Amino acid sequence: MNDSYSGKNGKVKVMYVRNEDNNDNRKDNDRRKNSDSRKNNKRPFGQGREQGDRRRGDSERPVRSGDSPWKTISRPEGESLKPEHSGISGKSHIDPEQLRRQRLEETRIYGENACQAMFQNRPDAIVRAWFVQSVTPRFREALKWMAANRKAYHVVDDEELTKASGTEHHGGVCFLIKKRNGLEVETYLQQAPAKDCVLALENVGNPHNLGAIMRSCAHFGVQGVILQDTAMLESGAAVRTAEGGAEHIKGIDADGFTTTLNKFRNEGYTIVTTSSHKGSTTLAQATLPEKMVLVLGQESDGLSDSTWEDGDIRLSIGGTGRVESLNVSVATGIMLAEWWRQNKA
């Protein structure tokens, strides 16, 4: 306990500390008082209530200054107050480099379907979780598993979950998870199925488009997605929009877009490029191969000229022409549906 005040000259400093010297005397005094109290309580039979009340009132009198366990000492002005204990003071040190690496290795996903799919497929990747009360009955198994495996989780209100997830569209749940690393082309090819469509996205970065694309890929049996930065496939908005489809997608690192496409071509894949701006074969007229890489471009300008011309087959989607082009996620769904019809259905 400490306090301070200033006198008229502004130089008086006071600190209250435990008076260890008086501890023994205080204990002796307490014992004597207790003994006297017991003796006084042995009043004769018939003693009035008034006398007993007076004794009780005496026991509740204020503690005299000499009985106080505290003593007052002064310290010169300007002298710092040093705590008389060996406790830890100040902030704990966290290695900034370690924190930076940890943040690079983790990401936050949200949305009920996305988080349910995450728990069903990769529970060990969950680091921490936040829930609002209303969704906890539907995550009962996840909560049991996290408690049994010492995974931290928090039941919070909507405002706190918005802060934890970074969005108001969290759907009542948010997971902090370990990111998946993108696959090398060679690793993917070792486990590729006999009939396989791989999607390649050139400069597609909108997370909502990526999420819709992953949802279509999962629906039509496409596993591999080639991307310059595969980490974009696990952004919170993309995973939420995919509604669980992200768990069925394998990101493939594109270390040089053209080089990556050539590696697939050398393994028997047909490279199929698409455009709504250039003359090409319409999808309705095309025969799509069992093994192909379907290449789509960015939302505004489509594929670059060099990538477009590198295609073994060049396709467009026929329509009225009343709009310049389709959204890239919509075009992807139409293309994959036709490949599925011809080769898998």
Side-chain angles (χ1 to χ4, degrees):
M1 173 178 174
N2 64 77
D3 200 354
S4 64
Y5 66 88
S6 299
K8 294 180 180 180
N9 56 5
K11 296 184 179 181
V12 178
K13 300 291 181 179
V14 176
M15 174 174 64
Y16 300 98
V17 298
R18 191 75 176 182
N19 187 353
E20 302 296 340
D21 297 336
N22 292 336
N23 280 350
D24 294 338
N25 294 333
R26 180 171 174 268
K27 291 179 181 177
D28 292 338
N29 291 335
D30 290 343
R31 282 195 293 268
R32 284 196 297 270
K33 288 178 183 178
N34 291 335
S35 178
D36 294 341
S37 176
R38 285 194 296 270
K39 290 179 182 178
N40 292 333
N41 285 337
K42 295 179 180 178
R43 63 181 183 272
F45 178 78
Q47 183 180 38
R49 180 185 300 272
E50 182 180 352
Q51 291 181 345
D53 291 342
R54 189 163 51 247
R55 286 196 179 92
R56 283 193 293 271
D58 291 343
S59 66
E60 294 172 0
R61 69 182 182 277
V63 178
R64 293 174 299 175
S65 59
D67 295 336
S68 173
W70 307 98
K71 64 180 180 179
T72 304
I73 62 174
S74 299
R75 61 183 176 89
E77 183 182 15
E79 180 181 328
S80 61
L81 178 62
K82 297 181 180 179
E84 296 183 350
H85 59 77
S86 56
I88 299 174
S89 61
K91 296 181 179 179
S92 59
H93 175 70
I94 300 177
D95 183 5
E97 181 62 24
Q98 179 182 354
L99 185 61
R100 186 188 67 82
R101 288 196 304 268
Q102 181 176 328
R103 287 176 176 172
L104 289 174
E105 294 169 358
E106 297 173 349
T107 188
R108 295 175 191 241
I109 65 170
Y110 43 84
E112 187 169 335
N113 289 339
C115 290
Q116 287 282 18
M118 171 74 202
F119 171 68
Q120 295 297 328
N121 290 274
R122 291 187 292 144
D124 290 333
I126 300 173
V127 178
R128 186 179 295 269
W130 294 263
F131 305 89
V132 295
Q133 183 64 47
S134 60
V135 307
T136 53
R138 297 190 291 277
F139 281 89
R140 185 176 293 107
E141 294 303 318
L143 290 168
K144 289 181 180 178
W145 183 89
M146 283 186 278
N149 289 272
R150 298 179 180 273
K151 301 282 187 177
Y153 67 87
H154 315 271
V155 178
V156 298
D157 59 25
D158 190 80
E159 183 179 354
E160 290 180 83
L161 187 52
T162 297
K163 292 179 181 179
S165 62
T167 178
E168 296 179 350
H169 307 291
H170 46 65
V173 58
C174 174
F175 285 174
L176 176 66
I177 66 170
K178 295 176 182 177
K179 290 181 181 178
R180 290 179 292 185
N181 295 323
L183 298 177
E184 299 289 336
V185 174
E186 294 76 11
T187 303
Y188 176 84
L189 290 172
Q190 290 174 1
Q191 56 192 17
K195 294 182 178 182
D196 188 29
C197 177
V198 174
L199 193 65
L201 302 175
E202 183 185 44
N203 299 322
V204 177
N206 183 292
H208 297 95
N209 282 338
L210 288 172
I213 288 170
M214 287 192 288
R215 189 172 182 176
S216 294
C217 286
H219 184 75
F220 292 115
V222 172
Q223 300 179 26
V225 177
I226 300 170
L227 206 63
Q228 283 100 331
D229 181 8
T230 57
M232 291 192 297
L233 296 176
E234 289 201 315
S235 72
V239 173
R240 181 183 184 277
T241 306
E243 294 287 352
E247 293 305 315
H248 305 282
I249 304 304
K250 299 173 182 176
I252 304 170
D253 286 319
D255 187 13
F257 206 73
T258 302
T259 303
T260 301
L261 294 180
N262 285 332
K263 289 180 180 180
F264 276 92
R265 181 183 281 117
N266 294 338
E267 293 296 323
Y269 285 76
T270 300
I271 308 302
V272 178
T273 54
T274 61
S275 175
S276 58
H277 307 289
K278 305 176 178 70
S280 57
T281 304
T282 62
L283 179 62
Q285 300 170 332
T287 300
L288 300 180
E290 293 181 350
K291 296 179 71 172
M292 76 175 195
V293 178
L294 177 63
V295 189
L296 294 103
Q298 62 180 321
E299 293 85 347
S300 56
D301 300 326
L303 290 177
S304 62
D305 291 338
S306 59
T307 301
W308 160 255
E309 294 170 0
D310 193 41
D312 302 313
I313 299 176
R314 303 170 192 172
L315 295 180
S316 64
I317 300 173
T320 63
R322 293 173 182 170
V323 293
E324 183 181 2
S325 63
L326 292 170
N327 175 275
V328 63
S329 64
V330 175
T332 300
I334 294 172
M335 294 276 189
L336 295 184
E338 182 61 19
W339 177 82
W340 174 266
R341 186 188 69 81
Q342 292 187 24
N343 294 284
K344 289 266 191 174

